[in-house]
């Protein structure tokens, strides 16, 4: 699928893979020779992100400058001539919301980081943001008001991101489309019945809207409990 899609930049989340353990077939992906990986320190099989690019970035950074969260390997940022591309895997609030407070701290620190980037040049944020922002973004909103990914606190965190000058590219283009999900639990045949959540986003700086051509959910692509999304920009 990656070869068919032929992206200029491929962002991967929850890789659960140390840099030294990246599979050879990923290392050898045609057209994506510039690869940057981040994994959780001293926690094998946890978190992790990757960013693979067709052309070499001007600069690459890891983390958001917050020691509490940077040990988990959740963010890689590549600077290109016209924009920053950020691959991010936002923390889950956890069963019983046991990690909701750390998640809220991450949201605040991450927003500060993104605003700092945006002051320098436009930003395209791609990743598993672990939140369904509005009721339209999950199949059963009423039953999930206290579930991780749909608490008022997490939804407000995403609203603050939008209020800071960033745009949810899919909802900007398709504000009323229902059933547009990117994650389905493996339980109960949820994917076949499209009982899902939209947790994966391409979020961009307001001033990139003129370059936005489309924002797609590739929901027929199998291989994970998430499906890929594609942002198409003319930059």
């Amino acid at each position: 699928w990656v070869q068919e899609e032929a992206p200029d930049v491929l962002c991967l989340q929850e890789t659960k893979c140390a840099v030294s353990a990246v599979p050879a077939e990923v290392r050898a992906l045609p057209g994506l020779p510039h690869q940057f990986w981040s994994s959780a320190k001293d926690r094998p099989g946890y978190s992790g992100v990757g960013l693979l690019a067709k052309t070499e970035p001007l600069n690459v950074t890891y983390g958001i400058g917050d020691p509490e969260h940077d040990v988990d390997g959740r963010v890689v940022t590549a600077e290109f001539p016209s924009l920053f591309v950020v691959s991010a895997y936002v923390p889950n609030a956890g069963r019983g919301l046991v990690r909701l407070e750390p998640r809220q701290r991450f949201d605040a620190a991450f927003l500060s980081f993104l605003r700092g980037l945006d002051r320098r040049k436009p930003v395209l944020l791609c990743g598993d943001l672990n939140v369904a922002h509005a009721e339209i973004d999950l199949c059963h909103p009423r039953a999930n008001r206290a579930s991780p990914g749909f608490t008022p606190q997490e939804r407000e965190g995403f609203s603050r991101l939008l209020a800071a000058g960033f745009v949810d590219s899919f909802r900007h283009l398709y504000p009323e489309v229902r059933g547009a999900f990117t994650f389905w639990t493996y339980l109960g045949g949820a994917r076949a019945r499209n009982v899902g959540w939209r947790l994966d986003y391409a979020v961009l700086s307001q001033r990139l809207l003129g370059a936005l051509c489309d924002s797609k959910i590739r929901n027929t692509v199998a291989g994970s409990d998430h499906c890929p999304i594609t942002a198409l920009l003319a930059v």
Side-chain angles (χ1 to χ4, degrees), residues 211-224:
L212 178 63
C213 301
D214 211 340
S215 185
K216 294 292 190 183
I217 294 175
R218 307 302 199 190
N219 57 14
T220 62
V221 180
S224 169

Side-chain angles (χ1 to χ4, degrees), residues 33-47:
H34 306 286
Q35 303 189 8
F36 309 93
W37 305 92
S38 185
S39 58
K41 185 179 180 181
D42 302 325
R43 296 187 72 179
Y46 181 76
S47 189

Side-chain angles (χ1 to χ4, degrees), residues 82-168:
S82 56
L83 78 169
F84 289 103
V85 178
V86 181
S87 176
Y89 175 46
V90 170
N92 191 301
R95 185 173 298 176
L97 304 179
V98 295
R99 290 189 49 79
L100 180 58
E101 288 188 11
R103 160 62 186 266
Q104 290 178 271
R105 292 196 296 272
F106 178 92
D107 283 349
F110 192 36
L111 177 55
S112 178
F113 171 76
L114 293 171
R115 294 178 78 168
L117 293 179
D118 189 53
R119 285 192 287 269
R120 295 166 57 194
K121 62 175 65 173
V123 175
L124 171 62
L125 162 64
C126 302
D128 177 359
L129 305 190
N130 259 320
V131 62
H133 181 226
E135 292 193 356
I136 196 175
D137 294 317
L138 72 167
C139 190
H140 296 306
R142 289 187 180 180
N144 284 288
R145 297 201 186 282
S147 297
F150 197 60
T151 62
Q153 296 94 325
E154 292 164 297
R155 295 169 67 191
E156 287 165 11
F158 193 87
S159 294
R160 282 192 290 272
L161 177 64
L162 301 184
F166 296 93
V167 179
D168 174 353

Side-chain angles (χ1 to χ4, degrees), residues 38 49 61-64 73-77 86-89 106 110 113:
S38 185
V49 292
T61 59
Y62 300 86
I64 59 175
R74 294 188 176 276
V75 178
V76 172
T77 301
V86 181
S87 176
Y89 175 46
F106 178 92
F110 192 36
F113 171 76

Side-chain angles (χ1 to χ4, degrees), residues 196-215:
W197 298 58
R198 190 169 72 96
L199 301 179
D200 303 272
Y201 296 79
V203 173
L204 52 126
S205 298
Q206 186 92 32
R207 61 193 187 280
L208 273 179
L209 279 178
L212 178 63
C213 301
D214 211 340
S215 185

